[in-house]
Amino acid sequence: MIALWHDNRPLVGRDPTFELKSGRDGRLTPVDAGTGKVEIYETEGDVAALALVRRQPAASYLITLSGLEENPGPWHLRITNNDAETLRFTCVASYREEETLQPWMALECATHGGLPALRAENPETAITVRNSGTTPLVIHDPPGTPLGSDRSPVVLRRRPASIAPHDADELVVECGQVSFADRFSHTFDTNDMNRAHTTLLFEVLPRSALHDSPDEEPAFCRACGRCPAFVPPPLAVGGPCETCGHRGAEHFDVPPDHRNI
């Protein structure tokens, strides 16, 4: 479990109070960091387990239950913040201590309709990456990696090699020429095994009309004509037609006037 507050600044204030309960009708028992093992009782009054809380580096806490009864659950955990700072908590539960040491990749950036929106006129976009886990987060995608597919207009330009627990850094992506609006996802190659944490859905947008001069064709495709050169890409890639820029499904469903606007 890790206490989250300001990026790149570990919590140095007071420990929170942890309270544990075994069974639906058991009582909550406080267990503080550094006080040693505490007996947690189940509903019938028997000892369900011994609880121990240890404070780790980077404002993380390891809660260990030992001597478990065969069916002591369900377990309940209540956390009371004793610090002046407002805290958030994330946690990983496991039967093995080493498996609780997990990175937790949290991706954030400016969005359009809830998605990271990338435009050709603003080629570089910084995406904030936080590690809300309890061990360093390692990102393996090398700079220069196209995101989403090999033919993607979005390329990873810079990324940190590692982000410590409770720290934040940035991924920088570059958006090339975009002829049509599109959406795609990319799952980053990291040591966080939870794909929901490491997958980001992007939206790429053509240049806005403000960036088109009167003498230029618009930056997005207006006349498709269902070009005969279209070859459907592999489903896993989902790239556009090289001639007109439409995806497969759109290519055969263009309005009669062939205008993609």
Side-chain angles (χ1 to χ4, degrees), residues 2 23-24 36 47 57 81 92 97 115 117 121 138 163 188 236 243 250:
I2 189 167
R24 300 187 184 279
V47 175
N81 180 22
V92 176
E97 180 176 324
L115 302 175
E121 65 255 29
V138 180
I163 302 177
F188 290 93
T243 305
E250 298 167 337

Side-chain angles (χ1 to χ4, degrees), residues 171-204:
L171 300 171
V172 177
V173 299
E174 182 178 26
C175 184
Q177 181 60 43
V178 177
S179 299
F180 62 101
D182 195 12
R183 293 181 180 183
F184 64 89
S185 65
H186 180 80
T187 300
F188 290 93
D189 181 10
T190 78
N191 60 337
D192 184 342
M193 296 295 103
N194 190 328
R195 289 176 62 89
H197 297 169
T198 62
T199 300
L200 191 62
L201 181 64
F202 291 91
E203 181 174 42
V204 290

Side-chain angles (χ1 to χ4, degrees), residues 4 6 23 34 53 79 82 91 108 112 115 123 137 153 166 184 194 206:
L4 306 174
H6 299 301
V53 176
I79 305 171
N82 297 315
C91 64
E108 294 181 15
H112 172 80
L115 302 175
L137 171 69
H166 200 277
F184 64 89
N194 190 328

Side-chain angles (χ1 to χ4, degrees), residues 136-167:
L137 171 69
V138 180
I139 302 171
H140 301 294
D141 301 74
T145 299
L147 303 185
S149 73
D150 291 340
R151 297 169 60 187
S152 172
V154 181
V155 175
L156 178 65
R157 288 304 178 205
R158 296 187 296 278
R159 57 102 169 115
S162 177
I163 302 177
H166 200 277
D167 282 4

